[in-house]
């Protein structure tokens, strides 16, 4: 008897704690005939939008390195190997091994050519991709050209790049002069992504020596690597957009601000679901297939001249995902967005000026996502779809 009663209590607790919308079973009579109010679905359309370019950030902790040039977008990468001083070391040959993670662009065929440089001067490595010197390095003062090399584009392919023996031997003789290598693209309309030291397929350097008639192979891992992103604002087309479009981009970071007015929502509304929906613009060749579907949404209370001074309230992020031509809030986040943000704005608890949308990963790879904006036809413009109980009291 005790077992039966205990089981009944557990079932009752599970039933009472289940998360069920109030207009769904097991509450079919909750809003019937206006008993507590009426359930309403409403659509709030964007009033305005704006695209802002972000700062260049440190890329030394990303899982991928980028190399390529595509309609103004450009990426090269720096890499330094953890070589130990050994003045007696004489090598037979030296190779760098890279693993391809992804590639895209109309010229993404079998290989892509890049120029390999030796970095010949010390520079603040914390500034990689931040200071402009990395985007416009001076050959002769900062870089010394070695030779052109080819990378394989096929997914998971390996590329072996031969490094001149004298470069490696100088590093092993005096590691204080080991400032690393820099790779810059020589071809257009193709972007290659390779695994970095923060991935499962870290780049390595391996060298061959010999003892008598025996071949000895040793492997050296990277000490540092980072992508350097750039964009040709004068001649590039990748970040252009029409008046009825908005864009979000990574690598060259851009994010969009969208404004909504919730004043038409009744004051007695109890909001239980809210979804921000954007229509993807598929006339866009610059989407990176490895970074084109996942986004973050935040509510902005105050916009400042410096992006670091933006005031976010609440300090929460909500995930969005693209699927079948639309980008919208993930299901589990819709109720949180409704109760935490939209209800707070409606109740006057939160001051909201904009919503901010950006890539979840904005520094790891080049990618551009285009949406139809506030000036597009209303059927395709950004919108917030809310579900609420218009309560009687």
């Amino acid at each position: 008897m005790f077992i039966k009663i205990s089981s009944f209590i557990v079932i009752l607790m599970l039933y009472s704690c289940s998360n069920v919308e109030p207009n769904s079973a097991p509450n079919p009579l909750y809003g019937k005939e206006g008993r507590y109010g009426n359930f309403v679905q409403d659509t709030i359309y964007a009033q305005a939008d704006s695209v802002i370019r972000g700062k260049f950030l440190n890329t030394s902790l990303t899982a991928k390195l980028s190399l390529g040039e595509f309609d103004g977008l450009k990426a090269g990468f720096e890499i330094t190997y953890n070589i130990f001083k050994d003045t007696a070391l004489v090598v037979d040959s030296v190779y760098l091994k890279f693993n391809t993670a992804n590639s895209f662009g109309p010229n993404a065929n079998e290989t892509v050519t890049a120029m390999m440089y030796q970095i010949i001067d010390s520079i603040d490595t914390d500034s990689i991709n931040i200071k402009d010197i990395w985007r416009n390095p001076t050959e002769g003062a900062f870089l010394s050209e070695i030779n052109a090399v080819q990378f394989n584009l096929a997914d998971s392919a390996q590329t072996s790049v031969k490094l001149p023996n004298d470069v490696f031997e100088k590093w092993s003789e005096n590691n204080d002069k080991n400032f690393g290598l820099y790779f810059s693209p020589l071809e257009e309309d193709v972007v290659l992504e390779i695994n970095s030291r923060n991935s499962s397929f870290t780049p390595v350097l391996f060298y061959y020596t010999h003892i008598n008639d025996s071949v000895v192979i040793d492997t050296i891992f990277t000490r540092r690597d980072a992508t350097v992103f750039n964009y040709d604002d004068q001649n590039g087309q990748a970040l252009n957009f029409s008046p009825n479009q908005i864009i979000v981009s990574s690598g060259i970071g851009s994010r969009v601000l969208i404004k909504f007015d919730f004043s038409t929502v009744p004051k007695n509304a109890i909001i239980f679901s809210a979804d921000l929906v954007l229509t993807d613009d598929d006339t866009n060749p610059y989407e990176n297939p490895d970074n084109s579907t996942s986004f973050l949404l935040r509510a902005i209370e105050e916009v400042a001249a410096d992006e670091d001074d933006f005031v976010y309230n609440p300090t929460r992020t909500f995930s969005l995902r693209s699927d079948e031509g639309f980008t919208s809030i993930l299901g589990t986040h819709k109720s949180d967005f409704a109760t935490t943000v939209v209800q707070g704005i409606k109740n006057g608890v939160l001051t909201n000026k904009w919503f901010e949308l950006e890539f979840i990963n904005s520094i790891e790879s080049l990618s551009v996502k285009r949406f139809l904006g506030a000036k597009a036809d209303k059927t395709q413009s950004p919108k917030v779809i809310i579900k609420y109980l218009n309560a009687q009291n």
Side-chain angles (χ1 to χ4, degrees):
M1 181 66 179
F2 175 76
I3 295 175
K4 290 183 179 179
I5 293 174
S6 299
S7 300
F8 174 76
I9 292 173
V10 171
I11 292 170
L12 182 61
M13 290 175 64
L14 291 173
Y15 176 80
S16 62
C17 294
S18 61
N19 183 17
V20 181
E21 285 189 5
N23 58 339
S24 302
N27 299 304
L29 302 178
Y30 189 86
K32 186 177 181 181
E33 297 176 355
R35 183 180 178 187
Y36 299 107
N38 298 312
F39 287 102
V40 179
Q41 177 173 298
D42 200 0
T43 301
I44 312 297
Y45 295 96
Q47 288 187 312
D49 56 42
S50 179
V51 176
I52 57 176
R53 183 82 62 84
K55 292 180 177 180
F56 288 103
L57 303 174
N58 193 305
T59 56
S60 61
L61 296 176
T62 59
K64 291 190 294 186
L65 301 171
S66 293
L67 176 73
E69 191 165 1
F70 190 5
D71 220 345
L73 300 171
K74 186 176 180 180
F77 68 89
E78 179 273 348
I79 189 164
T80 304
Y81 294 89
N82 196 28
I83 296 172
F84 298 98
K85 186 173 182 179
D86 185 351
T87 56
L89 181 63
V90 177
V91 298
D92 296 325
S93 58
V94 185
Y95 292 89
L96 316 176
K97 185 173 73 174
F98 301 97
N99 289 273
T100 299
N102 175 51
S103 62
F104 72 100
N107 198 29
N109 298 315
E110 295 182 0
T111 62
V112 62
T113 306
M115 180 58 69
M116 177 170 58
Y117 297 90
Q118 181 181 0
I119 301 175
I120 57 176
D121 196 7
S122 175
I123 191 167
D124 180 12
T125 54
D126 291 335
S127 70
I128 297 177
N129 196 54
I130 296 176
K131 291 185 178 179
D132 191 57
I133 188 173
W134 287 99
R135 262 166 291 288
N136 299 286
T138 305
E139 188 175 346
F142 178 45
L143 298 178
S144 175
E145 183 178 297
I146 298 178
N147 53 257
V149 297
Q150 285 193 323
F151 288 84
N152 295 319
L153 294 180
D155 289 357
S156 302
Q158 287 191 350
T159 294
S160 290
V161 173
K162 192 175 190 311
L163 183 71
N165 291 4
D166 64 315
V167 173
F168 178 79
E169 288 171 349
K170 286 178 182 178
W171 289 343
S172 63
E173 291 171 2
N174 186 357
N175 198 31
D176 290 340
K177 297 297 183 181
N178 175 17
F179 304 124
L181 302 169
Y182 183 74
F183 291 82
S184 182
L186 291 178
E187 296 183 44
E188 296 182 349
D189 298 332
V190 54
V191 175
L192 164 71
E193 294 177 334
I194 61 177
N195 296 107
S196 77
R197 70 188 181 99
N198 290 308
S199 72
S200 301
F201 302 95
T202 181
V204 295
L205 178 153
F206 58 98
Y207 63 90
Y208 294 82
T209 60
H210 64 276
I211 300 175
N212 297 324
D213 294 331
S214 300
V215 175
V216 178
I217 305 174
D218 205 352
T219 301
I220 296 176
F221 293 93
T222 56
R223 182 170 77 230
R224 181 187 64 244
D225 57 21
T227 300
V228 179
F229 294 109
N230 203 359
Y231 183 65
D232 186 345
D233 279 292
Q234 292 186 336
N235 302 306
Q237 300 293 317
L239 299 184
N240 292 355
F241 54 95
S242 67
N244 68 338
Q245 291 176 323
I246 49 180
I247 67 166
V248 174
S249 62
S250 64
I252 308 298
S254 300
R255 56 191 188 273
V256 64
L257 304 182
I258 311 174
K259 181 176 289 186
F260 294 92
D261 180 6
F262 296 100
S263 62
T264 58
V265 180
K267 64 179 182 179
N268 291 335
I270 301 174
I271 305 167
F272 60 89
S273 177
D275 188 11
L276 192 150
V277 180
L278 299 102
T279 303
D280 302 351
D281 187 337
D282 57 6
T283 60
N284 173 27
Y286 311 108
E287 281 192 21
N288 183 333
D290 266 13
N291 190 29
S292 64
T293 60
S294 300
F295 306 89
L296 289 178
L297 177 70
R298 293 192 285 183
I300 297 180
E301 181 176 303
E302 193 64 47
V303 175
D306 190 325
E307 62 183 274
D308 293 334
D309 295 328
F310 280 20
V311 177
Y312 297 96
N313 191 14
T315 55
R316 292 276 304 277
T317 58
F318 302 91
S319 297
L320 291 87
R321 188 156 185 89
S322 290
D323 186 31
E324 296 184 352
F326 296 95
T327 297
S328 60
I329 296 176
L330 289 175
T332 55
H333 287 202
K334 292 177 185 177
S335 59
D336 286 345
F337 182 61
T339 56
T340 306
V341 179
V342 181
Q343 187 77 64
I345 294 170
K346 184 60 191 175
N347 292 351
V349 176
L350 301 178
T351 299
N352 175 260
K353 292 189 176 179
W354 298 92
F355 289 109
E356 178 189 75
L357 184 78
E358 63 181 334
F359 273 113
I360 282 181
N361 191 337
S362 61
I363 62 171
E364 188 167 275
S365 57
L366 288 171
S367 188
V368 182
K369 185 78 172 183
R370 289 179 177 171
F371 304 100
L372 294 173
K375 294 181 180 179
D377 184 87
K378 273 195 172 183
T379 60
Q380 298 178 310
S381 65
K383 56 187 71 68
V384 173
I385 301 173
I386 61 173
K387 296 179 182 179
Y388 59 89
L389 172 67
N390 189 10
Q392 290 187 350
N393 298 308

